[in-house]
Amino acid sequence: IIEEQLHGALDRNEFEVVYQPKIDLADLKIMGAEALLRWNNPALGSVSPSEFIPIAEQTGIIVNIGKYVLTEAISAANNWHKNLGRDLNIAVNLSPRQFRDADLVPFIGRTIDEYGIDGHCLEVEITEGMFLSGYQHVNESLAQLNALGVNISMDDFGTGYSSLNYLRKYPFDMLKVDRSYIVNMTNEGTGKELVIASIAMAHSLNLKVIAEGVETKEQLDLLIDMGCDYAQGYLFSKPVPRHALEGLLVDNVDWY
Ligand code: C2E
Ligand code: MG
Ligand code: MG
């Protein structure tokens, strides 16, 4: 049923992009946001991305949905630049299937030009699954994105094979430490050590580090102590619509 409803959902305007702020741990201010897709369908209600993204990927529908997310996010970045004079870093999740679309990188280039944003304001998040997808041209695509000034981020780090080789071989700028590590940080065991090691490793490769799914003050304090660069999570804000994120920016909330 999900697959049935996915066809045409874009034309029926059932998608929305929401934004979760990313906090700079140096000054605890918002430095950017991650764009996250929401789907509200009359028959199915609101469906979680973890349910429909895999189906959109299998069927290839993700190619068009992904272009919609990119356009929304780039247009939002342009808006925040115009309205607030701020260059935020907007991250968009890309799935492996999107890289099989020869138009992906040209589309990103055109859209950046069209909205007149700096390439550095855009970040793409990919997971290790990308490298297992067997797609040959990931290499060139990432190099081309890098040449456009677009940042490249390794999402969900620690959940897959965590091959350190990928981090060296491709032009990554950012490592996102998976929420499961952040949750375990305050438990007994080696959770904390794994986050410390990930930060040290990333910094030695000249990558910035962002912690995902930060929910408690205790986690935040630990991450600041560890020298983590950025954080996002419910402690700061859930993903919110474009205008609500603008509100958070105007309020210049002090999160501490
Ligand atoms: P992700 O990229 O790792 O995104 C982080 C997920 O964690 C988001 O779930 C976010 O709402 C959630 N989250 C953020 N802070 C917290 C927290 O403090 N606690 C908890 N428990 N969760 C938190 P969401 O929006 O349901 O997205 C799930 C996944 O779906 C994403 O994981 C991403 O892989 C995929 N996804 C979402 N939007 C897109 C999209 O536009 N394109 C593609 N290809 N994938 C997307
Ligand atoms: Mg992500
Ligand atoms: Mg993630």
Side-chain angles (χ1 to χ4, degrees):
I1 319 169
I2 290 189
E3 183 178 341
E4 231 172 78
Q5 290 296 324
L6 264 181
H7 290 282
L10 205 51
D11 293 333
R12 294 190 304 267
N13 281 313
E14 292 173 5
F15 292 110
E16 185 193 6
V17 177
V18 289
Y19 301 86
Q20 184 176 42
K22 301 192 286 184
I23 310 301
D24 190 336
L25 296 184
D27 59 6
L28 294 165
K29 301 289 182 205
I30 298 176
M31 51 70 70
E34 177 175 6
L36 292 156
L37 191 58
R38 294 293 174 261
W39 181 28
N40 211 328
N41 176 267
L44 299 167
S46 81
V47 189
S48 153
S50 32
E51 281 180 70
F52 73 80
I53 297 277
I55 298 169
E57 210 171 311
Q58 282 157 29
T59 53
I61 303 174
I62 192 69
V63 171
N64 283 329
I65 298 177
K67 285 181 170 171
Y68 159 78
V69 178
L70 280 161
T71 307
E72 272 296 311
I74 291 169
S75 136
N78 162 273
N79 249 276
W80 293 321
H81 177 84
K82 277 197 315 207
N83 299 351
L84 310 165
R86 296 217 23 206
D87 276 337
L88 296 174
N89 168 293
I90 307 303
V92 174
N93 295 282
L94 293 183
S95 56
R97 180 64 181 76
Q98 292 177 264
F99 279 84
R100 293 213 320 246
D101 170 21
D103 191 39
L104 175 70
V105 178
F107 176 83
I108 291 175
R110 289 198 302 275
T111 312
I112 284 176
D113 282 349
E114 190 183 320
Y115 287 93
I117 71 159
D118 191 307
H120 292 101
C121 292
L122 184 66
E123 181 162 298
V124 297
E125 298 190 0
I126 61 177
T127 60
E128 291 168 310
M130 186 72 68
F131 303 108
L132 304 173
S133 64
Y135 177 55
Q136 304 297 313
H137 303 287
V138 172
N139 214 339
E140 289 121 80
S141 300
L142 292 182
Q144 287 162 0
L145 285 173
N146 189 46
L148 289 175
V150 174
N151 294 295
I152 301 167
S153 174
M154 173 69 94
D155 202 355
D156 303 340
F157 183 74
T159 57
Y161 296 82
S162 304
S163 168
L164 305 183
N165 220 15
Y166 296 139
L167 292 177
R168 267 172 18 110
K169 191 168 163 207
Y170 298 98
F172 282 102
D173 301 283
M174 179 89 80
L175 190 84
K176 297 197 83 168
V177 178
D178 191 68
R179 191 175 82 85
S180 56
Y181 286 80
I182 306 307
V183 169
N184 283 324
M185 225 170 35
T186 44
N187 296 341
E188 296 299 308
T190 53
K192 207 167 115 182
E193 282 66 32
L194 289 175
V195 178
I196 293 173
S198 302
I199 294 172
M201 190 259 323
H203 283 169
S204 73
L205 293 172
N206 268 318
L207 309 184
K208 299 285 191 192
V209 183
I210 182 161
E212 293 193 278
V214 176
E215 292 182 352
T216 69
K217 178 86 164 15
E218 195 184 357
Q219 292 167 345
L220 172 62
D221 284 336
L222 276 172
L223 290 163
I224 292 173
D225 279 350
M226 291 173 181
C228 184
D229 302 288
Y230 311 111
Q232 69 182 95
Y234 296 166
L235 175 66
F236 309 106
S237 170
K238 295 203 167 182
V240 295
R242 191 197 275 209
H243 64 88
L245 188 83
E246 189 164 326
L248 291 175
L249 286 163
V250 169
D251 292 347
N252 206 20
V253 188
D254 193 347
W255 304 98
Y256 206 77

